[in-house]
Amino acid sequence: MVPVFEVTSRERSIAAARLTLDEVHSTAVGRPASDADLSHVSSVVAIVASSRGGSSLLHQILSDQPDVLSIAGEHTALYKLNRLDRGRDGSDALEPDVEFDWTAFSGDFMSLLGSGRVCPTATVGDRLRYTAVVTRRLALQWPLEEIAFATVREAVDRAAETCARPDEPDALFADVLRHLRATHPRIDPSFYDLPPAFRSTASDAGLRPPHDGYCIEEPPFVVPQARTAADRGALRRRPVVIKSSVDAYRLPILRRLMPNARIRVIHLTRNPAASVNGLYDGWRDRGFFSYDVSDQHTLSIDGYSELGEAARRWWNFDIPPGWEKLVDQPLEWVCANQWAGAHRSVLDTLCPDTADDVLRVPFEQILDPATRERTLRSVFAFAGIPQPTRPVSFPVVMATARPRPARWRQRADLVLPAVDRPGVRDVADELGYRKGEEDQWV
């Protein structure tokens, strides 16, 4: 049962977001380019993993290819916008027959789906299309602000004139935010997945959620980018690459979302010590807030809840089944159960009913220069994506610290005992991360 607080906050935020999205849809540039919908998708490549398992990086690598359709970042916000959030037990696991408005979900998905990068300031028409993209994202990120299309258009026009690098997405959007803050001062750049130089803000840096409402899009927020919209022809020719941390618990629903697609699943694994360490950092960072659970529990998580009021209310990342037993446990135990819960669900639900093809990829093989090229070639071949003609770049995506090999070892005394806990160790062994081999983990 969804908490009463969440129902009230959720409905208020969703209603406000819908008003803004409807306004964008009513404009000429905000209407879909065609009558395409998710039933026209012929091929889906779903990256499933635990949170902090490398899926953001792999999703970005694949999305950067010219023959791929994708949504910037995760599509988790679209689940939440369409009330596909928490199951009956309060976790991210939904019943396979859960009811939802497929037409609405499809329209929301198509409005964010695209390929490539388009210069958002080349022409007046490009600016208007970019304005529509930005307004849609702001509706998901700051729903209660109810930021009007005209307000965003003015900010985009001013940013196009003042930005030193309007062709650079981060720089342009940072300037858009700067102008928007004149009328919407609660918009805080520190909640975006922006380089530190663009995230400076006058507000305090304490651990806190981005706003008082329901987090439709969870921070750190995605930076909007202008891209070429998908039409029926593109949906039939190109794979749609998707990534959402909660899809580990929702593989049966993918068939319902894209009923005519061949579904390829890339099960991305990562050694539990590295993932648990990344989760630990994320809980204590500027926030990967997913749900305010205070209507059910006051969190008393050692290593987190002492960081302030928000840390006694807000859960971070995904919510695994059995989460209620973790609300008063040490943070490293919570993180280990998040890692194990996601992979346990994938292992239990991957079958011909949920996926037509499956490729398991250790993230370590992507990180290691000795195996990277071979591994990525196999990933591209599996996904049905043409092999890149130039070296693949490695963007820093949703990181709490600059990536470096085996960063988890600085916290080994904390994370390794958590990995050895019952249930976690079983999943680790099944995925090939065996006890006694930790010196090989990166």
Side-chain angles (χ1 to χ4, degrees), residues 368-388:
D368 187 348
T371 56
R372 179 180 302 160
E373 182 177 355
R374 181 175 71 251
T375 302
L376 288 178
R377 282 188 173 278
S378 69
V379 168
F380 280 104
F382 173 81
I385 300 171
Q387 297 291 335

Side-chain angles (χ1 to χ4, degrees), residues 1-63:
M1 180 177 179
V2 177
V4 174
F5 171 85
E6 284 296 312
V7 170
T8 303
S9 178
R10 179 180 70 169
E11 294 310 313
R12 197 160 47 97
S13 297
I14 290 175
R18 283 290 179 202
L19 283 175
T20 302
L21 294 171
D22 288 346
E23 181 196 13
V24 177
H25 186 79
S26 69
T27 67
V29 294
R31 296 190 198 103
S34 67
D35 58 352
D37 60 41
L38 292 183
S39 71
H40 300 120
V41 175
S42 63
S43 175
V44 174
V45 179
I47 304 170
V48 295
S50 69
S51 294
R52 316 314 288 168
S55 58
S56 293
L57 174 59
L58 182 58
H59 179 262
Q60 190 64 57
I61 289 172
L62 297 184
S63 297

Side-chain angles (χ1 to χ4, degrees), residues 340-353:
H343 287 294
R344 179 78 273 156
S345 181
V346 174
L347 291 168
D348 289 347
T349 57
L350 268 181
C351 65
D353 290 338

